Amino acid sequence: MDLLQDARHYWSQRAPRERRLLTAGGVFLGVVVLYLLLIDPAVSGIARLQRQLAHARSETAELEALVAEAKRLRGLPPVAASGAADARSAIGASLASAGMAPVRSTPLANGDLRLEFVNVPFSRWSAWLAASERTLGVHAVAVSVKATATPGNTDVDVSLRLPRI
């Protein structure tokens, strides 16, 4: 109680103008403290949560796309090839149906297959590769493409990973 009496005594000794200034300063200080303790953390927290929400939504969209791709792949028929030799013959048959023939076909030590094409239409080759990845289960692991003098044609060197059993 002694502290309260001291504060009242201090206040009563102040001039009216000084009291107004002290009151305005106290109100200003109160508003600043209120802003720093309540409003600013809430505003910055909302902004942070909105950024996290946007990131989470993009991750959700990616996951949904992956799930859709997995469902699509699960619906595909199993690869007909039962071994590396069957996979190579299936690749040869798909190349023949696409109207392309590699200049060189080399089996690699790790079980991959290296194909070299000279002066083939790039659009036909890329469509064949996409179809082969979908239907035969092969995957391109190394590709080298060089333009030729014929517009739209390329020299292609590709290593394909054959399906493993």
Side-chain angles (χ1 to χ4, degrees):
M1 278 238 210
D2 193 32
L3 185 62
L4 184 59
Q5 286 177 352
D6 289 344
R8 283 184 184 159
H9 179 43
Y10 176 80
W11 188 257
S12 65
Q13 290 180 346
R14 302 295 126 213
R17 182 172 181 230
E18 191 176 359
R19 286 183 199 167
R20 283 192 304 268
L21 284 173
L22 287 173
T23 303
V27 168
F28 177 75
L29 185 62
V31 168
V32 168
V33 168
L34 179 72
Y35 176 79
L36 290 176
L37 292 179
L38 299 177
I39 297 171
D40 185 49
V43 169
S44 61
I46 289 171
R48 180 179 40 81
L49 289 173
Q50 286 176 337
R51 286 190 305 273
Q52 289 176 348
L53 180 62
H55 181 67
R57 284 182 177 158
S58 69
E59 285 181 344
T60 301
E62 287 179 36
L63 284 175
E64 287 174 351
L66 288 173
V67 167
E69 178 72 9
K71 286 179 182 178
R72 185 189 68 76
L73 291 175
R74 191 177 297 147
L76 291 177
V79 176
S82 62
D86 290 340
R88 287 187 195 107
S89 64
I91 289 171
S94 73
L95 281 169
S97 70
M100 295 189 317
V103 173
R104 186 176 308 144
S105 175
T106 311
L108 301 176
N110 63 358
D112 292 354
L113 180 64
R114 182 176 176 207
L115 300 174
E116 294 178 47
F117 300 90
V118 174
N119 203 27
V120 294
F122 181 76
S123 59
R124 186 184 310 164
W125 176 82
S126 60
W128 168 82
L129 181 62
S132 296
E133 287 181 341
R134 261 191 327 272
T135 59
L136 300 177
V138 299
H139 297 287
V141 291
V143 178
S144 172
V145 179
K146 295 178 185 169
T148 63
T150 307
N153 285 5
T154 57
D155 293 340
V156 179
D157 186 0
V158 61
S159 292
L160 298 174
R161 171 119 337 120
L162 303 179
R164 308 280 192 239
I165 297 174

